[in-house]
Amino acid sequence: LGMAAPTALQRSVVLPAGRHTASLIFLHGSGDTGQGARAWIKQILNQDMAFQHIKVIYPTAPARPYTPMKGALSTVWFDRYKISNDCPEHIESIDSMCRRLTDLINDEIKNDIAKNRILIGGFSMGGGMAMHLAYRFHQDLAGVFALSSFLNKDSAVYQALKKNESVLPELFQCHGTADELVLYSWGEETNKMLKSQGVPTSLHTFPNLNHELSRTEIEKLKTWIVKKLPVEATKTN
């Protein structure tokens, strides 16, 4: 019967306080989990990142062999030949995860959420994954955010945007200048490249911030999220 469909990704969900009219998908960094990312943000804010009308979904990447860890299993969205912006992308693993995450987007659409009411983003590798997903396959999403993230120099994202003529989702990018794992210059270069290809971008710089999240950054992100996914006026019949 061929391959069984892969099971739905495990996820940790923060439900909206009121009527659900928009959704946010937050992708964790390499080796983390959806629960872990949610708990990290909760620790920084002293509460869940929660909204009146937006459901927040933290999926977990399935464990796979990860080359930078000598092939040990890790919860990563895709494989990498090395952690550098100067090597080819591991495109098969990126594309197969784009299919899995498309299922997650489709679950929200089945719940009556319009595609332009869905935001996707993440931390580190999660932000890289979100950029592939949105700019290659889902250019009608509400927006994309990438925190301490980058794309490789010759990314498939750049190839896809060469042929593009439609209006693209806005990118909200944050990066610490003291990041030793994903260099600030990689994030900056990603931002410049995407901007030159017609993506509306902003890059928020955090002096002395290493490869981590900060409270100011998450507060800024929350403000942007509500700007991109405003509360809908109550529909009158």
Side-chain angles (χ1 to χ4, degrees):
L1 284 170
M3 294 275 297
T7 49
L9 296 169
Q10 284 186 300
R11 52 196 92 163
S12 180
V13 175
V14 182
L15 292 171
R19 195 168 70 92
H20 176 207
T21 66
S23 295
L24 167 72
I25 298 169
F26 188 107
L27 305 178
H28 62 73
S30 57
D32 202 356
T33 60
Q35 255 94 359
R38 176 182 174 177
W40 189 21
I41 289 175
K42 191 172 181 172
Q43 185 195 347
I44 295 169
L45 294 177
N46 294 319
Q47 59 186 23
D48 265 318
M49 180 167 73
F51 302 90
Q52 189 59 32
H53 59 298
I54 306 167
K55 174 175 160 189
V56 185
I57 305 163
Y58 296 94
T60 296
R64 59 158 301 127
Y66 188 45
T67 302
M69 286 169 50
K70 299 187 171 59
L73 289 183
S74 186
T75 49
V76 289
W77 297 108
F78 49 87
D79 198 9
R80 284 187 171 132
Y81 297 105
K82 53 180 200 264
I83 299 175
S84 159
N85 69 342
D86 215 359
C87 64
E89 290 175 322
H90 195 288
I91 202 73
E92 300 105 300
S93 64
I94 292 173
D95 287 358
S96 84
M97 189 50 64
C98 281
R99 289 192 285 274
R100 306 274 309 256
L101 288 165
T102 294
D103 290 343
L104 187 59
I105 292 171
N106 288 337
D107 282 350
E108 293 311 294
I109 295 169
K110 281 178 201 135
N111 284 332
D112 278 343
I113 302 301
K115 208 152 164 207
N116 64 2
R117 297 280 293 164
I118 300 174
L119 271 181
I120 185 149
F123 175 72
S124 192
M125 176 187 256
M129 186 73 233
M131 291 187 277
H132 274 273
L133 188 63
Y135 294 119
R136 291 176 56 214
F137 300 105
H138 299 283
Q139 295 182 348
D140 43 358
L141 288 167
V144 186
F145 60 92
L147 316 173
S148 314
S149 307
F150 73 102
L151 291 170
N152 292 26
K153 283 192 195 303
D154 208 16
S155 176
V157 174
Y158 304 145
Q159 309 306 319
L161 291 177
K162 277 188 181 139
K163 312 186 252 311
N164 173 69
E165 290 175 359
S166 59
V167 178
L168 296 161
E170 184 187 332
L171 174 69
F172 178 92
Q173 215 179 331
C174 296
H175 216 113
T177 58
D179 196 326
E180 284 157 17
L181 186 68
V182 174
L183 301 184
Y184 178 78
S185 59
W186 301 356
E188 196 176 33
E189 190 178 320
T190 300
N191 194 281
K192 283 201 178 101
M193 278 295 293
L194 290 172
K195 189 172 245 165
S196 75
Q197 294 190 291
V199 175
T201 66
S202 60
L203 174 57
H204 303 269
T205 303
F206 293 84
N208 309 321
L209 185 69
N210 202 322
H211 196 64
E212 58 197 339
L213 294 171
S214 81
R215 182 163 187 155
T216 327
E217 177 185 17
I218 297 171
E219 295 291 3
K220 262 195 173 146
L221 173 64
K222 282 185 72 176
T223 305
W224 179 78
I225 289 167
V226 175
K227 195 180 88 190
K228 295 273 77 149
L229 300 175
V231 177
E232 288 185 328
T234 315
K235 295 192 180 81
T236 48
N237 289 341

